[in-house]
Amino acid sequence: MSFFNRLVGGPLNGHHHLLDSGMEWGQDLYLLQDWMAGHPEASPIRVVNFSPLEPEDLGIETAGRPPSGFRSENSQVNESELGPLPGWYAVGVTLLHSDSRPDRENLQRNGMPICGYFRFFKPVDRVGYSIYVYQLTAQDVAPVRDRLGLPPLPEAPEQGVRP
């Protein structure tokens, strides 16, 4: 499903040409399930993809979806809960482009988060051709939050330090 010839950069670059059901339809969720079994350190993980299936339909335990990068008009979310936030994420390529294309508003109306901020980060792995895996730290997200006009995250208390 994700095959693209060399003229467009092969399947790794296909999402720059096609999205939605032309690129992903949940086919790599099965591979994500295998990937997670081999990477227990990636738990909890937040997952979002363009598919009629939810990860939970396949028995994939998630911590929900990634936070949206922007507050929508009807959202009651506090800005400190908007992304990016530290953690593990598996993001389908359609959602990587959800804030950069005008025809993506329908995703928002269907409750999908706006995850274009992940384009500021380098994935730590790829599952199939339609899911990128990210591990974000507080140091990773701080400059991107600033660039997006989001407030800085509260400082986490240091572990093992006595007053």
Side-chain angles (χ1 to χ4, degrees):
M1 181 169 197
S2 302
F3 175 79
F4 291 85
N5 67 35
R6 288 184 178 184
L7 292 175
V8 298
L12 291 177
N13 291 309
H15 63 95
H16 295 290
H17 304 281
L18 284 177
L19 292 172
D20 303 335
S21 61
M23 181 65 193
E24 64 176 313
W25 203 238
Q27 73 275 14
D28 291 331
L29 284 175
Y30 294 100
L31 297 175
L32 178 62
Q33 188 174 32
D34 293 341
W35 184 92
M36 290 177 62
H39 294 85
E41 73 279 6
S43 183
I45 190 167
R46 293 177 175 262
V47 180
V48 67
N49 69 308
F50 186 84
S51 167
L53 294 173
E54 291 294 332
E56 294 80 9
D57 295 339
L58 302 176
I60 298 173
E61 289 187 36
T62 74
R65 293 180 171 162
S68 192
F70 301 96
R71 181 193 307 264
S72 64
E73 293 177 18
N74 300 327
S75 174
Q76 301 297 320
V77 175
N78 185 315
E79 283 190 342
S80 65
E81 297 171 7
L82 294 174
L85 296 173
W88 282 91
Y89 300 93
V91 181
V93 294
T94 295
L95 281 297
L96 289 176
H97 300 278
S98 62
D99 62 345
S100 62
R101 297 183 49 173
D103 58 337
R104 298 287 161 245
E105 283 184 27
N106 63 324
L107 293 174
Q108 263 189 298
R109 284 192 295 273
N110 292 325
M112 297 297 256
I114 300 172
C115 294
Y117 61 85
F118 280 100
R119 293 190 314 265
F120 290 110
F121 303 104
K122 183 179 178 183
V124 296
D125 210 345
R126 178 180 41 81
V127 178
Y129 292 114
S130 69
I131 299 175
Y132 289 110
V133 178
Y134 299 87
Q135 180 187 20
L136 305 182
T137 66
Q139 292 81 13
D140 295 331
V141 302
V144 175
R145 289 183 66 82
D146 184 54
R147 184 173 183 172
L148 296 175
L150 295 172
L153 295 175
E155 301 236 358
E158 292 186 38
Q159 299 292 327
V161 177
R162 295 184 183 182

